[in-house]
Amino acid sequence: MARATLIALLALLALVCASLLAGVAGLDARALLSSGEGWELIRDSRLPRTLAALLTGAALAVAGQIMQLIAQNRFVEPMTAGTGQSAVLGILLTSVLLPGAALPVKMALAALTALAGSLGFFAVTRRLPPTQPLLVPLVGLVYGGVIGAATAYAAFQADMLQYLEIWLGGEFSGTMRGRYELLWLAGLAALASYLVADQLSILGLGEAVSLNLGLNYRQVVLAGLVVIALVSGLTVVTVGMIPFVGLVVPNLVSRVAGDNLRRSLPVTALAGAALVLAADLAGRLLIHPFEIPAATVIGILGAAVFLWMLYGRGAHAA
């Protein structure tokens, strides 16, 4: 466990250094020492972008692990089960009905619609037979697709389809100082989940076992859903939808660190941060000086890992 954490920290440190130096404008140690413009570039653009990627990855990975525990299914995560799509719908409704609303208002309404979307997903999946675990992620994909279709229709009616693309494709190219700070709230929400990590671990055993062990099942589920909704709403408002982080990272970490959330949650956060930062860095370098959105890079990798889990060993562990 300690070895896995150390490896994750070292990889993350290397990625942070590479992210601070990578970009269209060349930057090296000599430029930093001899020019104040280099430090301004780091302060206003490179560092905020790096921090945004780290906070987004860590928060989404933690939210995905919580959602999997609540659903008792390894193949679900907020951005592919209707929560992210609901957050986008909330932002669109705010933009149409309250066009002059401040960013915190958009964030609050996005979190509320994300919470409603999560509640709808769990209401639907509770009726599925427990002997067919693969139905849950498939229903989640359909459920999210229906919400996404409704959002696209509303955007078409309001002549805002191009505006909608801002939130559907998560990327960090527009991240600057003063435009990413809401993500610290997502990081704090993920950190707060560590305080109830033991209760969340018990939650993964199911409602009947949780109640027999004296856990306030509904209260812990509601707390978990609030964390999921806050993380989803804040990340979608700030950088857009980034799928598969909450699906891939918890599954890979659980194979190394086990299912004890008190031990695995920090590794999950570190691995999620490293994944998103690596995807953003790859998107900057693959077709330099142009960029590929981080959501596109993660979507390709995440879809491949998701299929591997469905048809490989993960299907037997569901």
Side-chain angles (χ1 to χ4, degrees):
M1 180 63 187
R3 184 179 180 182
T5 305
L6 179 61
I7 292 174
L9 282 172
L10 291 175
L12 195 59
L13 180 61
L15 288 170
V16 168
C17 295
S19 177
L20 293 176
L21 296 175
V24 176
L27 192 63
D28 54 26
R30 182 180 299 177
L32 286 175
L33 293 174
S34 62
S35 173
E37 295 181 357
W39 288 112
E40 291 178 0
L41 179 62
I42 291 287
R43 182 194 63 193
D44 296 337
S45 178
R46 301 281 176 84
L47 182 60
R49 180 170 186 161
T50 301
L51 291 174
L54 293 174
L55 291 169
T56 298
L60 287 178
V62 170
Q65 190 157 29
I66 294 173
M67 190 172 218
Q68 290 173 11
L69 289 171
I70 296 176
Q72 292 185 270
N73 193 289
R74 295 282 190 187
F75 301 141
V76 296
E77 66 108 12
M79 296 301 169
T80 59
T83 305
Q85 292 85 351
S86 299
V88 173
L89 178 60
I91 300 172
L92 179 66
L93 293 176
T94 306
S95 301
V96 173
L97 301 177
L98 301 170
L103 189 59
V105 176
K106 292 183 179 180
M107 177 270 294
L109 292 178
L112 287 175
T113 53
L115 178 60
S118 297
L119 290 172
F121 169 72
F122 285 111
V124 171
T125 54
R126 282 177 65 91
R127 300 177 179 273
L128 297 176
T131 56
Q132 299 292 329
L134 296 184
L135 284 178
V136 176
L138 296 178
V139 168
L141 291 172
V142 173
Y143 177 73
V146 170
I147 297 176
T151 304
Y153 177 76
F156 174 76
Q157 293 296 320
D159 196 21
M160 297 180 67
L161 279 176
Q162 290 184 327
Y163 193 49
L164 188 66
E165 294 297 324
I166 297 175
W167 304 302
L168 294 179
E171 50 94 23
F172 299 91
S173 62
T175 304
M176 301 286 289
R177 189 174 62 151
R179 295 184 57 185
Y180 82 101
E181 283 76 9
L182 282 176
L183 289 174
W184 286 105
L185 296 178
L188 289 175
L191 181 63
S193 65
Y194 185 76
L195 301 177
V196 292
D198 296 330
Q199 290 90 330
L200 291 171
S201 296
I202 297 174
L203 194 70
L205 300 175
E207 183 175 1
V209 176
S210 300
L211 292 174
N212 288 334
L213 292 175
L215 184 72
N216 190 330
Y217 182 81
R218 294 184 180 275
Q219 182 177 343
V220 178
V221 168
L222 180 60
L225 290 177
V226 168
V227 171
I228 294 169
L230 281 175
V231 169
S232 301
L234 286 165
T235 53
V236 169
V237 166
T238 309
V239 299
M241 284 183 58
I242 299 181
F244 292 114
V245 177
L247 173 68
V248 171
V249 174
N251 278 281
L252 296 180
V253 169
S254 67
R255 295 175 184 271
V256 178
D259 294 326
N260 186 331
L261 209 63
R262 179 70 64 181
R263 294 186 304 171
S264 64
L265 203 61
V267 183
T268 299
L270 289 173
L275 174 63
V276 174
L277 185 57
D280 179 52
L281 185 59
R284 280 185 268 172
L285 297 177
L286 286 174
I287 55 172
H288 183 82
F290 305 102
E291 290 192 19
I292 301 174
T296 302
V297 177
I298 296 178
I300 295 172
L301 297 176
V305 176
F306 181 55
L307 291 174
W308 172 71
M309 288 190 298
L310 282 177
Y311 294 105
R313 291 182 300 169
H316 302 287

